[in-house]
Amino acid sequence: MNFKDVYENEHVTRKFTNRKLQEKTIAEIIKKAQQSPSLLNSQPWRAYVLMGDALNEFKAASLDKVNNKEAAHEDFASMLSLDWDTFPSRNMVTMGASQSFFFRNKLQLFNDANKTMFNAPVIVFLTVPKKSPAWSVFDLGIFAQSIMLLAINRGLGVMPAHSMVSYPELVRKYARIPEDEAVGMAIALGYVDKNAEINDPKYIPKRVPFAEIYKVTE
Ligand SMILES: Cc1cc2nc3c(=O)[nH]c(=O)nc-3n(C[C@H](O)[C@H](O)[C@H](O)COP(=O)(O)O)c2cc1C
């Protein structure tokens, strides 16, 4: 794909088909993503891939917790402040991910997709050491973006979702992640189910007017 097509295709996929993904493909993507820049080349990231039976078991264990209404407790929530300024808070209220579903009376679609982890055949969990400065979280974001663009370039759909790291103790158990690493984010990969209503482009949320985020001084 050319870069323009890859970039313009970067919208999340909330329902994947049942088609399996080869482990070799994932390894190639993650290996290429290692080229990402990081502070002083510290490369604080690690990637843990869950697929097959281990993924199914993880999904079932997570669903139990969701159904039992266990509160989410992401590692990043305990490491970093969850105080939001009014600017992002306002954006979430007016154009947040679930709002385009809510306003069409389709919130259930959104919630069910998150509960079932988007029918993903593969989930990549991204970690940084618990002992990390904010720089490492910034670096992890760059690494994540590289993974997603590389995956899209190979014709895959991507789904970054904090809902998949709501219960880090389960991620740690099934993906075999050491205690001293924070389970930062998860990216589901797979083939886009083009017939699924939830993947309809009408649900892609709007962006903030450019003038609100851009300022030039000469
Ligand atoms: C850090 C991060 C966490 C996210 N968590 C979720 C999530 O838990 N559930 C979900 O449905 N979407 C999640 N998303 C996807 C965003 O809602 C989505 O990227 C955004 O609404 C813009 O939509 P688009 O990517 O389709 O353009 C997350 C994205 C990021 C970058």
Side-chain angles (χ1 to χ4, degrees):
M1 273 171 124
N2 67 41
F3 181 75
K4 180 174 172 289
D5 289 338
V6 172
Y7 191 74
E8 288 178 359
N9 261 305
E10 198 194 26
H11 292 290
V12 301
T13 292
R14 290 197 173 87
K15 172 89 192 290
F16 295 96
T17 66
N18 290 333
R19 188 172 158 193
K20 302 250 181 307
L21 199 56
Q22 288 198 334
E23 190 273 329
K24 186 171 159 272
T25 307
I26 305 156
E28 283 169 10
I29 289 170
I30 306 289
K31 190 161 194 232
K32 284 210 170 87
Q34 284 188 277
Q35 187 189 309
S36 303
S38 59
L39 180 83
L40 292 169
N41 203 25
S42 50
Q43 305 169 70
W45 50 68
R46 285 191 179 92
Y48 294 85
V49 176
L50 257 193
M51 54 198 301
D53 289 345
L55 177 60
N56 291 337
E57 286 166 30
F58 165 72
K59 283 182 183 175
S62 299
L63 190 58
D64 272 353
K65 290 198 184 245
V66 174
N67 287 338
N68 289 334
K69 304 211 181 322
E70 185 172 322
H73 45 266
E74 298 96 334
D75 277 353
F76 274 180
S78 53
M79 275 171 73
L80 308 162
S81 157
L82 281 188
D83 273 347
W84 296 88
D85 186 74
T86 49
F87 177 54
S89 299
R90 186 211 64 183
N91 298 339
M92 286 188 282
V93 170
T94 57
M95 56 189 92
S98 58
Q99 301 302 70
S100 57
F101 293 90
F102 174 78
F103 292 128
R104 290 179 173 86
N105 215 11
K106 294 280 182 173
L107 196 54
Q108 197 63 39
L109 261 186
F110 178 89
N111 290 340
D112 289 348
N114 274 272
K115 261 171 96 166
T116 55
M117 299 197 186
F118 319 101
N119 196 39
V122 168
I123 302 178
V124 182
F125 294 96
L126 303 178
T127 74
V128 287
K130 278 187 178 160
K131 198 175 159 208
S132 285
W135 297 116
S136 294
V137 177
F138 185 88
D139 293 339
L140 190 68
I142 297 177
F143 184 58
Q145 173 71 321
S146 297
I147 292 171
M148 293 193 285
L149 293 177
L150 288 160
I152 290 166
N153 188 44
R154 298 188 71 135
L156 301 175
V158 302
M159 185 63 236
H162 71 93
S163 61
M164 298 188 288
V165 296
S166 294
Y167 309 112
E169 68 281 9
L170 291 182
V171 181
R172 208 166 260 117
K173 173 178 167 191
Y174 287 96
R176 295 181 293 133
I177 298 173
E179 276 300 325
D180 59 355
E181 288 176 44
V183 180
M185 253 305 275
I187 301 175
L189 300 174
Y191 293 91
V192 180
D193 183 343
K194 295 196 173 109
N195 298 318
E197 187 194 350
I198 195 161
N199 291 334
D200 191 311
K202 73 178 177 220
Y203 292 114
I204 297 172
K206 289 195 173 41
R207 272 25 178 200
V208 171
F210 180 61
E212 282 193 41
I213 62 124
Y214 184 75
K215 189 171 185 173
V216 183
T217 307
E218 286 190 279

